[in-house]
């Protein structure tokens, strides 16, 4: 961040009378865009969250449906501290996300956040490794790093070319996009772990940041451990409160029992028992 940008953000926070660490707000939707089958990008106006949100953090999104507030944890795909816009990319996976996809500009959602502990942002040459919806929080990391003059590389994997619409979203923020598909329809045929060892040996990446299916993160972590490269992973667990109160997201780690919502979702890979 440049000095001028720092000042601008500080000025905005001061103008808002200071912003608490997390807030629960009603956020008007300004766009709802279909990215591919069953995957949408929703953008809402939530300046008090967008000003504070860091890459890797998440929000609890609530929809008023038949008088019930359904809350879903969603990673932050973009947070613009100029406009106050917050973008979330999600796949329809049940009643809550189906209801979310049916909302239109002019409707609003309840947003609680920003929550959790995000990715490392002070890094020289990171490689982002993602699969499926795990690429959503990595998109914000890529944009944030680029804005702070650090270009990450990205390695993304999917079953088919159609799942890798992400490459269009990342292209302005990263220094090289590497792709694998299970069926070979785009990039290298195989998994991200097919090409990762060679990529790490041929480059001087100082941190691998992985987000995606747990089996992918487990295998990425094992490769990084073997090659002596630092790695962090973003875990996904069923969540209740999202605030560290209900214990529904507790996991065992090398440093004891931790809550994914509060202590994570991002953890050093070596702390996690996969
Ligand atoms: Fe309640 Fe994590 S979701 S403690």
């Amino acid at each position: 961040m440049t000095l001028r940008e720092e000042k601008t953000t500080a000025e905005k926070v001061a103008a808002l009378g200071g912003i608490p660490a997390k807030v629960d707000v009603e956020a008007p939707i300004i766009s709802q865009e279909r990215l591919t089958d069953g995957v949408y990008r929703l953008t809402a106006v939530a300046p008090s969250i967008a000003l504070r949100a860091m890459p890797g953090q998440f929000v609890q999104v609530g929809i008023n449906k038949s008088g019930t507030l359904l809350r879903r944890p969603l990673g932050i795909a973009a947070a613009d501290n100029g406009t106050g816009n917050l973008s979330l990319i999600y796949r329809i996976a049940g009643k809550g996300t189906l209801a979310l996809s049916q909302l239109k500009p002019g409707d609003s959602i309840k947003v609680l956040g920003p929550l959790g502990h995000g990715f490392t942002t002070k890094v020289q040459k990171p490689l982002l490794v993602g699969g499926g919806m795990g690429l959503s929080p990595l998109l914000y990391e890529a944009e944030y790093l680029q804005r702070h003059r650090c270009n990450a590389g990205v390695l993304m994997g999917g079953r088919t070319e159609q799942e890798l619409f992400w490459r269009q979203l990342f292209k302005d923020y990263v220094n090289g996009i590497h792709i694998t598909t299970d069926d070979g329809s785009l990039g290298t045929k195989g998994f991200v772990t097919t090409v990762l060892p060679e990529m790490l040996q041929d480059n001087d990446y100082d941190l691998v940041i992985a987000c995606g299916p747990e089996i992918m993160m487990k295998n990425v972590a094992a490769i990084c451990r073997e090659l002596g490269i630092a790695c962090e992973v973003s875990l996904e667990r069923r969540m209740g409160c999202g605030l560290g109160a209900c214990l529904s997201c507790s996991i065992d780690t090398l440093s004891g029992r931790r809550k994914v919502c509060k202590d994570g979702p991002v953890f050093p890979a070596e702390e996690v028992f996969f």
Side-chain angles (χ1 to χ4, degrees):
M1 183 181 283
T2 64
L3 278 176
R4 180 61 210 154
E5 282 168 332
E6 265 169 11
K7 196 170 173 212
T8 304
T9 303
E11 283 166 359
K12 285 175 184 162
V13 170
L16 288 165
I19 298 174
K22 56 181 169 288
V23 293
D24 198 1
V25 297
E26 191 85 26
I29 296 171
I30 55 168
S31 70
Q32 172 88 273
E33 181 191 353
R34 178 185 169 280
L35 296 175
T36 188
D37 285 351
V39 178
Y40 291 80
R41 172 165 55 189
L42 179 152
T43 301
V45 185
S48 50
I49 295 176
L51 266 176
R52 276 195 172 273
M54 292 297 289
Q57 289 191 294
F58 67 100
V59 290
Q60 286 272 58
V61 175
I63 309 151
N64 269 314
K65 191 80 180 164
S66 320
T68 327
L69 189 68
L70 304 168
R71 289 272 195 192
R72 292 289 178 279
L74 290 176
I76 296 169
D80 187 325
N81 65 22
T83 60
N85 292 348
L86 191 73
S87 293
L88 309 166
I89 298 178
Y90 62 95
R91 184 194 300 281
I92 298 177
K95 271 194 304 196
T97 41
L98 177 63
L100 191 61
S101 72
Q102 290 163 347
L103 298 178
K104 305 262 180 295
D107 294 335
S108 61
I109 49 175
K110 291 279 284 178
V111 190
L112 170 66
L115 301 171
H117 173 85
F119 299 123
T120 296
T121 51
K122 287 194 173 30
V123 61
Q124 298 290 320
K125 191 174 175 186
L127 177 66
L128 314 180
V129 181
M133 300 312 295
L135 284 155
S136 171
L138 291 179
L139 179 62
Y140 185 21
E141 173 80 349
E143 184 277 326
Y144 183 97
L145 291 174
Q146 195 247 11
R147 197 161 17 107
H148 294 81
R149 295 178 175 72
C150 168
N151 278 336
V154 64
L155 168 60
M156 53 177 75
R159 279 173 300 187
T160 63
E161 176 176 2
Q162 194 206 357
E163 284 187 7
L164 290 165
F165 60 89
W166 296 99
R167 61 194 190 279
Q168 293 303 327
L169 306 181
F170 274 81
K171 70 177 176 13
D172 293 335
Y173 306 132
V174 292
N175 195 2
I177 299 181
H178 308 268
I179 291 173
T180 64
T181 47
D182 298 6
D183 66 357
S185 53
L186 191 70
T188 304
K189 186 174 194 301
F191 307 118
V192 292
T193 46
T194 309
V195 298
L196 183 63
E198 197 176 320
M199 283 183 69
L200 294 180
Q201 278 158 348
D202 291 352
N203 292 277
D204 52 349
Y205 294 116
D206 57 351
L207 176 67
V208 169
I209 302 177
C211 188
E214 194 139 323
I215 183 70
M216 181 206 86
M217 293 192 291
K218 176 182 177 177
N219 293 333
V220 167
I223 291 168
C224 290
R225 189 171 56 243
E226 200 167 311
L227 296 176
I229 295 171
C231 176
E232 60 187 31
V233 293
S234 178
L235 300 182
E236 197 176 305
R237 287 292 180 278
R238 194 169 279 278
M239 286 186 193
C241 65
L243 298 166
C246 73
L247 307 184
S248 66
C249 65
S250 296
I251 56 164
D252 286 315
T253 71
L254 206 61
S255 40
R257 200 108 177 110
R258 309 293 291 272
K259 297 166 195 158
V260 171
C261 69
K262 196 156 185 272
D263 304 314
V266 178
F267 293 92
E270 69 269 16
E271 293 273 307
V272 178
F273 299 123
F274 284 106

